[in-house]
Amino acid sequence: MSKDMNNDAELKTANNIEEDFGNMLDFDDDDPLSATSVSKKSLVIFFLIDTSGSMKGTKMGELNTVMEELIPEIRRVGEADTDVKVAVLTFSNSVMWMYSEPVSIEDFEWTRLRADGVTSMGEAFRELSIRMSRNSFLSSPSLSFAPVIFLMTDGYPSDDYKAGLEALQKNSWYKFGLKAALGIGKEANDDMLAEFTGTKDTVVHAYSGGQLAQMIKIIAVTSSQIGSKSMTLSDDTNHELSSQDVYAAKQKMLGQQIQDLVKSQDYSDTVPFDTGW
Amino acid sequence: MLNGFCHTVIGASHITSGTVCQDSSVFRAYDNYGIAVVADGHGSKKHFRSDKGSEMAVTAALDTVEEFYRDPDAFEESFLNNPENLIKKIEKNIISRWNRLVIHHYTHNPYTEKEKEPFTEKEFKRLKVETVYGTTLIVAVMGRKFTFGTQIGDGSLVLICEDAAAEMPIAYEESAPANLTASMCNSQAINYFNSFYTLDEKPIAVFVSTDGLYTSFKSDEDFLDYHSILASQLINIDAFSPSIRKNLSKRSHCGTQDDTSLACVFDKDYIPEKQEELKEQVEVNKIHASMRKAEQKARMEKQRLKNSMNNARYDEESEL
């Protein structure tokens, strides 16, 4: 029931309001408000990508190819009622954003990355922490979902990643964001990646080009589907969930789905990175 | 003479699920002041009476301000001497009234078995009464000598300044992203209020709205431009009111699907004097919006060109 308390007698039922909805679709040229646009709910996916020297060759080539293929798939996730935006942060000797702000998936084009230098992951965490703010990358009022943050790396950080992670962990968007990580090759450290995600369930490993392609798609598509899922109503109680409940439920769902999908993949015909492929 | 309006529309998601509207809104005009209030009940599992909580919050705000204005001259003098102190007193009084209303309602309406059903016995025992009624609250008061507002939790307060520009005088709370919000039910609620006041300037209008409205916009600029349009129509508010309601319904259905409330207070006698400036502001906003759109398009084109060049170089290097 609607409650304009200036009209105490007017307690509207859902049926009356459905009628309102029918009427509101009538376009009226004389109504100055009819020209104001309505924004869909939006979600930002952050990709944090290691572009250090060790990624050179097959790993980076494969990653570039997969990311180009991935964009149309993520576009389909957002088609229904969510505006999905993408932000890509690369880290090697320094950190760099692919675009100067999150870009709607409709307009996003992948810029092929090159690999060189060391692994400044701590600096990337600090940079992400600064940008994940209402005053920076997350300024859109329509931002209805906590962000998805996806880290990809093939080795151990060369800087003080713990200090960077500590700064990031204080960021409320990070706390309530969906976090996943992909270790590429045998040098990537799953424990360190789990420190970033907060759980081992959303950390996966790729040991070959085929696996890398499959893992990136699994994580990116699954996390954007779950991230943009409206979980304001719980089926059992018909009451909205709190943000903490939503975060916990989504992160758990992401972990389960990623693990299930990873187990269902067939990697028999792929050649490991670390055998020189 | 003060005037205003208030509208609350139920969220599309609430219609689908058959749940009640959690928002409340009110507007009142008196001889010495006008007041606009909105509140957004949290609605989640443990806040299962927050629709009542939001009603109580607007009632508490109305009654508190009315009591402070009982002797208008004395109140205005005290306010002018120490506005921060007076606003803090008002906030404390609102909290205390709201808590009394909550306890009164709870005492006369004990929890039903159906309300207890979703919880384990242990969970239910831990639930504080005020939590069950949790809500946000935004209050705007326009008086003879000053205007002030106060807010706890998400939602927005927009001021239409003397020069017809729209602004949000209360800063966004960065520690509360993506649906996290402060609440009247917090044990230290008084510390979560944010407020503003103007003494020297005479605003044209003040709008308060729950977050269902703000989140239906792409940018702060679009949100403020919307308020400029609203302000330019206040001169014919009775005729325009149905359009506002229709637009709020459209925003809820096509946007975040949340309950949406908007309330406003303005000086009816001041509007005709400012009407030309308000209309001009809408036109200026249109130009600025076109410029923003063109700049955004140019940035994207530049980036696309850069991408193409980078990718072409990448292909050349790969061939080598």
Side-chain angles (χ1 to χ4, degrees):
Chain A
M1 286 185 289
S2 172
K3 299 179 293 180
D4 301 355
M5 296 181 70
N6 217 27
N7 306 306
D8 291 338
E10 188 195 1
L11 294 174
K12 288 195 143 201
T13 63
N15 287 342
N16 304 132
I17 290 166
E18 285 292 21
E19 282 168 26
D20 273 2
F21 181 50
N23 295 335
M24 88 198 178
L25 296 176
D26 300 339
F27 188 76
D28 182 358
D29 282 339
D30 296 330
D31 182 352
L33 293 179
S34 67
T36 60
S37 62
V38 183
S39 189
K40 289 197 288 186
K41 293 185 247 190
S42 65
L43 162 79
V44 180
I45 307 176
F46 288 93
F47 289 97
L48 270 64
I49 301 177
D50 179 353
T51 52
S52 63
S54 56
M55 288 284 288
K56 204 175 265 183
T58 312
K59 291 175 192 166
M60 192 47 79
E62 191 73 38
L63 192 144
N64 278 324
T65 307
V66 178
M67 292 305 287
E68 280 173 338
E69 290 170 2
L70 183 67
I71 301 308
E73 293 192 35
I74 299 180
R75 220 167 263 162
R76 280 195 287 277
V77 173
E79 260 172 8
D81 61 356
T82 307
D83 181 17
V84 177
K85 292 178 181 174
V86 175
V88 180
L89 177 63
T90 60
F91 54 95
S92 56
N93 285 341
S94 60
V95 297
M96 193 182 289
W97 291 98
M98 187 175 281
Y99 286 78
S100 54
E101 61 190 333
V103 174
S104 175
I105 193 74
E106 302 303 321
D107 301 318
F108 188 85
E109 285 176 8
W110 184 254
T111 306
R112 284 172 213 153
L113 301 171
R114 294 171 177 78
D116 196 18
V118 295
T119 313
S120 304
M121 196 185 291
E123 198 184 331
F125 289 157
R126 263 190 298 275
E127 171 66 15
L128 181 65
S129 175
I130 293 165
R131 295 295 180 183
M132 282 205 301
S133 158
R134 279 283 182 195
N135 297 320
S136 186
F137 277 10
L138 304 178
S139 63
S140 175
S142 65
L143 205 65
S144 307
F145 304 108
V148 169
I149 313 165
F150 181 9
L151 170 67
M152 298 181 226
T153 182
D154 75 334
Y156 208 78
S158 51
D159 63 353
D160 181 7
Y161 80 93
K162 279 188 184 288
L165 188 57
E166 212 170 281
L168 188 57
Q169 283 166 340
K170 286 178 190 152
N171 183 304
S172 299
W173 295 95
Y174 168 84
K175 282 182 204 165
F176 290 91
L178 273 184
K179 298 168 284 283
L182 172 63
I184 304 167
K186 67 179 182 186
E187 295 299 318
N189 183 313
D190 283 2
D191 291 335
M192 190 274 295
L193 295 178
E195 277 183 67
F196 167 77
T197 60
T199 167
K200 281 199 168 179
D201 289 345
T202 54
V203 174
V204 292
H205 229 106
Y207 295 99
S208 67
Q211 279 186 356
L212 180 71
Q214 283 169 325
M215 296 298 179
I216 289 177
K217 284 183 185 171
I218 286 172
I219 295 180
V221 173
T222 311
S223 54
S224 30
Q225 279 167 342
I226 295 174
S228 61
K229 196 176 164 68
S230 282
M231 293 183 74
T232 53
L233 291 168
S234 125
D235 294 337
D236 53 345
T237 65
N238 226 17
H239 280 293
E240 290 178 21
L241 296 164
S242 69
S243 300
Q244 288 89 340
D245 294 340
V246 169
Y247 159 73
K250 284 188 171 185
Q251 189 73 25
K252 191 176 167 192
M253 193 187 290
L254 179 63
Q256 280 168 350
Q257 289 197 16
I258 286 176
Q259 293 305 327
D260 289 347
L261 285 164
V262 166
K263 278 178 204 155
S264 68
Q265 299 300 308
D266 176 15
Y267 307 114
S268 52
D269 60 346
T270 57
V271 184
F273 288 123
D274 303 301
T275 58
W277 182 72
Chain B
M1 190 183 157
L2 293 154
N3 197 1
F5 64 81
C6 66
H7 290 292
T8 291
V9 298
I10 189 168
S13 65
H14 290 191
I15 292 174
T16 310
S17 64
T19 49
V20 294
C21 179
Q22 314 286 346
D23 272 16
S24 298
S25 61
V26 71
F27 152 74
R28 294 275 191 275
Y30 302 99
D31 289 343
N32 301 305
Y33 72 97
I35 177 168
V37 190
V38 294
D40 179 359
H42 304 324
S44 58
K45 185 179 166 184
K46 62 184 177 182
H47 309 292
F48 54 83
R49 288 185 178 180
S50 64
D51 56 323
K52 294 280 178 287
S54 73
E55 281 180 25
M56 291 169 196
V58 296
T59 303
L62 275 183
D63 293 349
T64 298
V65 176
E66 192 177 343
E67 189 181 291
F68 274 76
Y69 260 105
R70 194 154 288 157
D71 181 346
D73 295 332
F75 172 64
E76 283 170 356
E77 194 186 333
S78 308
F79 191 97
L80 292 170
N81 284 338
N82 194 342
E84 282 98 353
N85 185 37
L86 253 291
I87 292 172
K88 197 46 83 188
K89 277 185 183 168
I90 288 170
E91 290 163 352
K92 282 180 183 166
N93 201 301
I94 291 172
I95 295 169
S96 140
R97 263 173 209 275
W98 181 77
N99 276 286
R100 284 203 300 275
L101 288 170
V102 163
I103 295 300
H104 182 265
H105 185 268
Y106 166 72
T107 310
H108 291 84
N109 300 275
Y111 297 138
T112 63
E113 287 308 311
K114 201 179 171 195
E115 285 175 324
K116 289 180 190 172
E117 222 169 69
F119 302 90
T120 63
E121 204 174 315
K122 199 177 161 189
E123 280 173 339
F124 206 79
K125 269 186 183 165
R126 274 197 305 221
L127 215 52
K128 289 195 280 184
V129 175
E130 57 271 31
T131 303
V132 170
Y133 294 79
T135 181
T136 67
L137 176 70
I138 312 176
V139 186
V141 177
M142 187 178 266
R144 294 181 296 189
K145 297 176 179 170
F146 48 79
T147 296
F148 68 93
T150 186
Q151 165 172 2
I152 181 165
D154 56 22
S156 306
L157 189 152
V158 175
L159 194 66
I160 306 296
C161 305
E162 226 173 298
D163 62 358
E167 67 171 52
M168 286 188 273
I170 297 179
Y172 178 82
E173 181 54 65
E174 183 71 47
S175 65
N179 302 329
L180 266 185
T181 188
S183 170
M184 287 287 289
C185 71
N186 292 137
S187 56
Q188 295 297 316
I190 190 65
N191 298 331
Y192 296 106
F193 270 93
N194 287 304
S195 62
F196 91 99
Y197 61 88
T198 63
L199 302 179
D200 307 327
E201 194 188 341
K202 185 175 166 58
I204 300 170
V206 194
F207 295 89
V208 287
S209 56
T210 54
D211 72 326
L213 183 63
Y214 181 69
T215 53
S216 70
F217 289 87
K218 199 173 181 180
S219 68
D220 280 1
E221 289 91 345
D222 289 352
F223 180 64
L224 291 173
D225 291 356
Y226 180 82
H227 284 81
S228 293
I229 296 173
L230 290 173
S232 72
Q233 301 298 320
L234 292 175
I235 197 157
N236 295 313
I237 188 58
D238 292 340
F240 189 57
S241 206
S243 294
I244 299 174
R245 189 172 192 95
K246 197 163 92 172
N247 190 264
L248 295 180
S249 292
K250 177 181 158 187
R251 293 193 162 275
S252 173
H253 277 79
C254 306
T256 54
Q257 314 217 322
D258 201 0
D259 296 336
T260 303
S261 296
L262 174 68
C264 169
V265 57
F266 62 93
D267 184 343
K268 203 176 167 183
D269 302 328
Y270 194 33
I271 294 286
E273 189 186 317
K274 289 286 172 183
Q275 188 57 24
E276 273 315 301
E277 281 178 70
L278 289 167
K279 280 164 72 180
E280 264 172 40
Q281 185 67 50
V282 172
E283 294 309 311
V284 168
N285 290 347
K286 280 183 192 168
I287 295 166
H288 286 166
S290 306
M291 282 164 66
R292 284 198 302 273
K293 211 170 163 183
E295 279 167 13
Q296 167 76 9
K297 201 176 161 190
R299 269 202 307 274
M300 282 306 298
E301 285 303 321
K302 191 179 164 189
Q303 186 71 44
R304 276 205 189 98
L305 192 65
K306 210 171 133 188
N307 284 356
S308 306
M309 286 164 66
N310 174 76
N311 289 350
R313 242 190 350 260
Y314 184 94
D315 289 341
E316 277 172 27
E317 285 165 15
S318 302
E319 278 168 25
L320 292 173

